[in-house]
Amino acid sequence: MKLQIVVPCYNEEKVLPESFRQFNALLGHLVAAGKISGDSRVTFVDDGSRDRTWALIEAQARVSERVAGIKLSRNRGHQNAVLAGMLSVDGDAVVTIDADLQDDLAAIERMVDEYRGGCDIVYGVRADRSTDTLFKRGTAEMFYRLLALFDVDLVHNHADFRLMSRRSVEALRQYREVNLYLRGIVPLIGFRSTAVEYVRQPRLAGESKYPLSKMLRLAAEAVTSFSTVPLQVISALGFLVFLGTMVISAWVLWVSFFTDRGVPGWASTVLPMYFLGGIQILCLGVVGAYLGKVYREIKARPRYFIEQTAGASSSPAVPPAAAGRDA
Ligand code: UDP
Ligand code: MG
């Protein structure tokens, strides 16, 4: 099998020399062990860095035949850099991993073993987060809870360290949404998947490119790209408020017609207020319900992938990841 390792890099000049060394050593080891073919590669994707990252990658690609580079025209963010790499390389399986050597390279060998055992997607899952600050652990936990609340299916403690088979990469290619949240999409693909656990190290050199602001943006991206629950909440709220205003309106009418407690002009002032308020939120809910549909349609996500077929007529006609398109 030919393995391709994809490594997104943004201003990583401090850590790259060590990364080159370790990735080269890993490929050499796996080739020697007979687990991957000799033409396996590691591809570094420069995500519009402002330092010497690309110069380093280029130089390394010249001296080492196992190293290749892709340079994006400008900084497009981690998720896009990972996707660009995955969709550009060939290989029977593609592993994505960060440049900073926080993720355990030894786990890649176990991923390859799982792939050879028949798995299409192997998630790298962090066994413990003890190297993280309490703050990062807390916010990460909140993040998973929040997304679960919003019906987004995620693999716990999995970042973008994973192996994907050729056909699952081809399946991924068919998701054409611009707002990209890979961790949410990959589980949607299906196919046989498993996880390998590893212990995450602190960053080897340089500093994190994921400050809190970027993490919050990623969380918002995840919710708004995968969930229409917020819209459904508005719809439900609209209906409840409307019911409430109907009751209050009836009470206002009763007070002004059948009792002498009504102040002149009171009913004609508050009645439209309640009534219009209720109607407005109800209408907003209706609009929300349709917006939710438009949102799902416009993503045009593939509706299914065929994993296997059996019987005489089937085998040659079915491409590796045959898909039906959502529209
Ligand atoms: N990265 C990228 N583009 C960006 C930000 C980060 O390609 O705009 C890369 C970065 O070089 C690293 C990986 O994404 O290889 C993860 O970033 P980082 O290690 O800073 O995040 P953390 O591990 O702190 O969450
Ligand atoms: Mg990191």
Side-chain angles (χ1 to χ4, degrees):
M1 75 172 266
K2 176 172 181 178
L3 179 70
Q4 280 275 12
I5 301 179
V6 167
V7 188
C9 311
Y10 178 57
N11 295 344
E12 298 286 8
E13 63 179 6
K14 287 212 185 82
V15 62
L16 272 180
E18 181 60 17
S19 307
F20 292 146
R21 212 183 56 68
Q22 294 203 13
F23 281 110
N24 259 322
L26 176 80
L27 284 180
H29 162 72
L30 290 177
V31 170
K35 292 194 172 174
I36 59 175
S37 62
D39 56 352
S40 297
R41 295 280 178 275
V42 50
T43 302
F44 291 87
V45 182
D46 174 21
D47 183 19
S49 301
R50 291 201 194 99
D51 62 0
R52 292 177 47 249
T53 296
W54 178 245
L56 290 176
I57 295 172
E58 241 182 345
Q60 187 65 26
R62 267 197 298 274
V63 296
S64 165
E65 56 161 16
R66 292 218 170 98
V67 173
I70 293 175
K71 184 180 190 302
L72 300 190
S73 59
R74 50 163 293 196
N75 182 241
R76 296 298 297 134
H78 174 232
Q79 299 283 299
N80 284 309
V82 169
L83 187 78
M86 278 202 286
L87 298 186
S88 305
V89 299
D90 58 355
D92 301 308
V94 180
V95 166
T96 55
I97 182 170
D98 292 350
D100 55 8
L101 303 172
Q102 282 190 281
D103 303 320
D104 183 10
L105 260 63
I108 294 181
E109 179 163 1
R110 283 182 281 141
M111 289 180 171
V112 169
D113 292 340
E114 293 288 355
Y115 169 82
R116 291 158 61 95
C119 274
D120 277 277
I121 300 172
V122 188
Y123 300 102
V125 170
R126 307 170 60 169
D128 79 319
R129 303 186 70 115
S130 54
T131 55
D132 276 344
T133 59
L134 205 63
F135 178 73
K136 184 129 188 174
R137 253 184 289 167
T139 47
E141 192 50 41
M142 265 165 52
F143 175 70
Y144 290 116
R145 292 247 171 94
L146 183 79
L147 289 181
L149 204 68
F150 284 122
D151 274 347
V152 186
D153 185 17
L154 285 188
V155 179
H156 233 73
N157 283 338
H158 159 70
D160 288 293
F161 180 27
R162 71 176 85 77
L163 177 145
M164 291 178 74
S165 65
R166 173 54 32 203
R167 67 172 178 176
S168 52
V169 172
E170 292 311 314
L172 179 67
R173 198 189 292 281
Q174 305 195 32
Y175 287 83
R176 300 190 188 278
E177 49 207 84
V178 177
N179 300 302
L180 195 71
Y181 185 65
L182 285 171
R183 275 171 243 180
I185 290 185
V186 174
L188 294 182
I189 294 175
F191 293 138
R192 221 173 113 188
S193 66
T194 186
V196 298
E197 292 204 336
Y198 68 97
V199 178
R200 189 156 148 126
Q201 307 301 324
R203 196 174 232 286
L204 196 77
E207 64 259 8
S208 172
K209 277 91 198 171
Y210 261 101
L212 183 65
S213 61
K214 267 197 195 172
M215 276 175 9
L216 286 177
R217 224 182 305 156
L218 194 69
E221 187 71 55
V223 171
T224 54
S225 309
F226 285 89
S227 171
T228 48
V229 170
L231 289 177
Q232 285 158 13
V233 169
I234 296 181
S235 298
L237 201 70
F239 187 67
L240 284 182
V241 170
F242 183 72
L243 281 187
T245 55
M246 284 297 117
V247 172
I248 292 178
S249 300
W251 173 73
V252 169
L253 283 177
W254 180 77
V255 168
S256 56
F257 283 126
F258 300 109
T259 71
D260 47 11
R261 281 181 288 144
V263 182
W266 174 70
S268 59
T269 312
V270 297
L271 207 59
M273 212 171 76
Y274 287 133
F275 190 73
L276 289 177
I279 289 267
Q280 272 169 12
I281 298 184
L282 181 69
C283 290
L284 207 59
V286 173
V287 172
Y290 281 96
L291 190 65
K293 291 231 153 53
V294 170
Y295 160 95
R296 280 193 292 270
E297 295 288 338
I298 213 153
K299 279 181 184 289
R301 284 185 175 167
R303 275 185 288 198
Y304 57 84
F305 299 107
I306 294 174
E307 179 162 323
Q308 270 179 0
T309 52
S313 63
S314 51
S315 39
V318 180
R325 180 148 291 281
D326 218 341

